[in-house]
Amino acid sequence: MNLEEIKMRRPLIAGNWKMNGLTADGRALAAAVAERAKAGDPGCDVLVCPPFTLIGAVGAALTGSPVALGAQDCHAAVSGAHTGDVSAEMLKDAGCAFVIVGHSERRADHGEDDATVKAKAEAALRAGLTVIVCVGETEAERDAGKTEAVVARQVKGSLPAGATPANLVVAYEPVWAIGTGRTPTPADAQAVHARIRAELKGLIGGAADAVRLLYGGSVKPSNAKELMGQPDIDGALVGGAALKAEDFWGIVGSYA
Ligand code: PGA
């Protein structure tokens, strides 16, 4: 990877709010993030992904700011008899530019396998959204030395047809690091990111050098800079720390 290719990847800091917040909370958090973003270019793209119920209110609060809006999941179909689900087209219509698919909590709680994640990712591209495809090993898989094999399999099985650096982001989130306060060492995280990029290269060729790879799992202001400083880590997917504007912005500040 040369310097020009690195520069092609504008970092992305994405907040995954998960199942948190009522309207007033979401509005206040989005407004606080938007206000900080309007103060000047933070050196990276910024995204918030609220729960479905807050997409309208958060979208309104972000108006006029460079902060992008995303969702946390979508169904693979355009519309139809899928009670409780939301399509990628509906998200686009509601103002989203991004959608996360294949988060480990979806994979575990809803039994989503790579084929399901791939179908959802393809729905996202069909609707004109940028998709964030999540991958990551469990602690048992890591202990068994299978991290890179598991992650490579997930990337291969979940990658949507038609993926380009403009419409695809991959998030590496070790399951054991999510919400636990534990993280891999920056060097260990970098090694997995490099493996993901190598896998992507086999699938989409040289364009893989321009695809943004995010690290996720217990990212905080205190550990973000070192993680974000790794050559193949192009930003973060942030859960818990995305629920406080100050902490979230502290992570964004890694790129200041
Ligand atoms: P965390 O969650 O930052 O709370 O560990 C990250 C995620 O699950 O996206």
Side-chain angles (χ1 to χ4, degrees):
M1 200 182 355
N2 63 37
L3 200 60
E4 278 313 302
E5 285 164 337
I6 292 170
K7 277 199 219 142
M8 278 160 63
R9 301 199 303 263
R10 181 168 162 89
L12 170 65
I13 301 291
N16 171 14
W17 294 5
K18 307 193 179 185
M19 195 173 74
N20 291 293
L22 302 181
T23 307
D25 313 310
R27 229 179 236 147
L29 178 54
V33 171
E35 192 191 332
R36 286 165 167 83
K38 281 185 206 162
D41 180 11
C44 62
D45 291 339
V46 180
L47 165 69
V48 294
C49 300
F52 292 137
T53 50
L54 298 185
I55 285 171
V58 167
L62 296 177
T63 304
S65 89
V67 180
L69 179 64
Q72 302 170 16
D73 181 45
C74 67
H75 194 275
V78 178
S79 62
H82 303 289
T83 303
D85 279 310
V86 174
S87 74
E89 282 75 6
M90 290 168 173
L91 298 176
K92 176 86 176 172
D93 179 56
C96 290
F98 287 77
V99 64
I100 299 167
V101 300
H103 189 283
S104 63
E105 287 152 15
R106 300 286 322 170
R107 290 179 187 260
D109 298 353
H110 300 270
E112 295 185 5
D113 60 11
D114 289 336
T116 304
V117 175
K118 178 181 168 138
K120 290 181 175 208
E122 289 180 343
L125 302 194
R126 180 189 67 216
L129 299 171
T130 296
V131 68
I132 301 178
V133 176
C134 301
V135 298
E137 83 286 2
T138 63
E139 184 152 36
E141 288 164 340
R142 170 159 289 246
D143 290 346
K146 292 184 185 156
T147 298
E148 291 193 14
V150 166
V151 165
R153 189 204 71 220
Q154 290 175 327
V155 168
K156 194 168 179 210
S158 310
L159 197 81
T164 71
N167 64 23
L168 173 75
V169 175
V170 177
Y172 167 57
E173 299 202 305
V175 176
W176 52 272
I178 295 175
T180 60
R182 296 163 60 204
T183 60
T185 65
D188 283 351
Q190 162 59 25
V192 182
H193 280 240
R195 181 71 184 81
I196 291 171
R197 199 175 303 284
E199 188 65 29
L200 281 176
K201 226 167 245 184
L203 296 164
I204 63 169
D209 280 328
V211 172
R212 293 183 287 189
L213 306 183
L214 311 185
Y215 168 77
S218 297
V219 177
K220 320 179 261 228
S222 58
N223 62 20
K225 198 162 183 163
E226 211 186 346
L227 286 161
M228 301 307 111
Q230 301 302 309
D232 285 292
I233 300 183
D234 310 310
L237 182 56
V238 184
L243 296 174
K244 281 194 183 144
E246 201 182 319
D247 289 348
F248 186 59
W249 211 255
I251 294 166
V252 170
S254 306
Y255 292 105

